[in-house]
Amino acid sequence: MLSNVSPTVSEAWYNRGNALRNLGRTQEAIASYDQALKFKPDGHEAWYNRGIALGKLGRNQEAIASYDQALKIKPDYHLAWYNRGNALDDLGRFEEAIASYDQALKFKPDKHEAWYGKACCYALQGNIEQALENLQKAINLSPDEWREWAKTDSDFDGIREDERFQALIQ
């Protein structure tokens, strides 16, 4: 009988977690996602949203572990790959971040945020060519957004004076 109840109970905990996260009550949201996962351990969205909440608290290593759990269940979950890349980027693990962004792009090639994330990682590594190439792709997909972001994003400070970078953000 419990198996008939579990999805509903899991869903209630999951929805509670989302509501708490939206209210900025992040720690409580994580606890709710944990409860949802007790009833439905294969809930990829609960793992994913748990990762988002952990990331908001700066607990990037734990966030990565949550994204990894979501990806074990749903390997083509581009949002989990993308946010995993962000957490790795925040930890300065640029090669791993780029690999995660690449996975997100494998499943959603027009994920302009992932192209931008890759550009940032490459810029922080001093790889100007790859930074510019990926920034160009992000700008092609969402010109107003990424051109403006790149103008002030400190990730590009190392290449800011490059003429090609200047041309891209004009």
Side-chain angles (χ1 to χ4, degrees):
M1 184 82 177
L2 183 61
S3 63
N4 292 338
V5 175
S6 294
T8 304
V9 172
S10 174
E11 213 170 272
W13 280 111
Y14 172 75
N15 290 337
R16 181 178 187 271
N18 286 343
L20 288 165
R21 193 177 54 134
N22 290 337
L23 291 171
R25 294 166 55 185
T26 310
Q27 196 63 48
E28 292 172 86
I30 294 166
S32 289
Y33 295 133
D34 288 343
Q35 287 298 316
L37 290 164
K38 284 182 184 177
F39 290 96
K40 189 176 181 204
D42 63 344
H44 71 278
E45 290 175 331
W47 283 113
Y48 168 75
N49 282 299
R50 184 179 187 276
I52 295 286
L54 287 162
K56 285 185 184 229
L57 294 176
R59 293 164 55 186
N60 289 310
Q61 201 59 50
E62 293 171 83
I64 292 165
S66 284
Y67 297 135
D68 287 346
Q69 287 298 319
L71 291 165
K72 283 181 186 174
I73 299 159
K74 187 168 173 43
D76 64 344
Y77 197 14
H78 77 276
L79 290 172
W81 282 114
Y82 168 71
N83 282 291
R84 183 179 186 275
N86 288 341
L88 289 160
D89 182 0
D90 288 347
L91 292 172
R93 293 164 53 185
F94 303 126
E95 289 300 323
E96 292 171 86
I98 290 166
S100 282
Y101 293 138
D102 282 340
Q103 285 297 315
L105 292 165
K106 174 180 166 185
F107 299 111
K108 187 160 176 47
D110 63 344
K111 180 83 176 150
H112 52 90
E113 300 92 338
W115 290 111
Y116 187 84
K118 284 179 63 175
C120 290
C121 288
Y122 283 123
L124 289 166
Q125 291 177 316
N127 187 334
I128 297 170
E129 300 303 323
Q130 288 296 316
L132 294 172
E133 180 181 319
N134 284 278
L135 181 57
Q136 180 68 67
K137 289 178 181 176
I139 289 172
N140 287 349
L141 290 165
S142 186
D144 296 334
E145 181 175 6
W146 298 121
R147 189 170 280 126
E148 285 306 309
W149 270 97
K151 287 179 182 177
T152 58
D153 191 333
S154 63
D155 288 353
F156 296 110
D157 285 353
I159 67 169
R160 193 161 306 285
E161 301 308 315
D162 188 285
E163 293 173 2
R164 297 165 296 171
F165 177 80
Q166 288 295 318
L168 265 178
I169 63 171
Q170 295 307 320

